[in-house]
Amino acid sequence: MLESSVVAADQDEQGTYLMADYRSLMTRFRWAYIAMSAEGLAEVLAPDFKWNLHYFNADDPRPTGRVLNGLDEMLEELMWRKMNWARTRYGFLAERFAPNLVTQSFRMSAINAEDGKPFKVDAVDLYDVVDGRILTKSTYWKYMDLERSDR
């Protein structure tokens, strides 16, 4: 399971949610996400959850991406990834907390099942947290060229 290196800012006196609660929320989210657990995700996602997926396409400089609405669409995306990507791995995870916001950076690698080619992305996720649940997850991917990568 992914364990993050955590950098927590001091909570201001008016903040109602403690940083330790954010750590717990994100740990529960990671477990449910990896397990594709509808029950686990339902416990941590707000009822009107949205997942904004943004990615970089070197052949098309326009902004790219799509929005998934709710738990069911998130689970559909996770199932699609499971069917189309092999040996998915996450690493270099770091999380930072601020009132109503979690930032997460990480590296993901996998093998595209269609052509057998490995790929790697560096990513940043921004999570808006409201009433102790994740309201939005905004994902930004930067594709890395494995042939030229020294990492």
Side-chain angles (χ1 to χ4, degrees):
M1 177 60 204
L2 288 175
E3 287 303 320
S4 65
S5 62
V6 177
V7 179
D10 291 332
Q11 176 73 7
D12 66 20
E13 291 181 14
Q14 295 180 352
T16 58
Y17 210 69
L18 301 173
M19 295 301 144
D21 294 332
Y22 286 138
R23 284 186 199 95
S24 172
L25 174 69
M26 295 310 294
T27 297
R28 291 182 292 131
F29 172 76
R30 285 191 306 274
W31 277 102
Y33 183 94
I34 297 295
M36 295 187 301
S37 166
E39 289 177 6
L41 288 168
E43 290 179 8
V44 297
L45 301 179
D48 50 350
F49 169 78
K50 291 191 184 312
W51 185 4
N52 304 303
L53 294 155
H54 307 278
Y55 55 89
F56 174 73
N57 180 350
D59 298 326
D60 184 355
R62 296 174 297 175
T64 52
R66 59 196 169 102
V67 177
L68 304 179
N69 295 293
L71 173 61
D72 290 340
E73 288 187 16
M74 176 182 235
L75 289 169
E76 285 177 30
E77 174 69 13
L78 296 177
M79 184 57 70
W80 182 91
R81 291 178 181 194
K82 182 177 182 177
M83 299 295 294
N84 290 278
W85 299 344
R87 292 193 288 195
T88 302
R89 300 288 182 264
Y90 295 89
F92 303 102
L93 177 66
E95 292 176 333
R96 291 171 174 78
F97 307 106
N100 301 317
L101 177 69
V102 176
T103 63
Q104 185 183 74
S105 60
F106 58 94
R107 177 168 299 151
M108 192 223 27
S109 62
I111 297 173
N112 186 339
E114 185 176 330
D115 61 14
K117 292 184 179 178
F119 67 94
K120 197 184 297 187
V121 297
D122 282 337
V124 172
D125 281 350
L126 304 176
Y127 298 86
D128 294 308
V129 179
V130 176
D131 296 327
R133 290 180 174 226
I134 298 168
L135 178 63
T136 59
K137 171 181 165 69
S138 296
T139 299
Y140 301 88
W141 281 12
K142 177 185 175 189
Y143 284 92
M144 297 174 59
D145 182 350
L146 291 180
E147 307 259 332
R148 296 184 300 170
S149 176
D150 60 350
R151 297 192 266 178

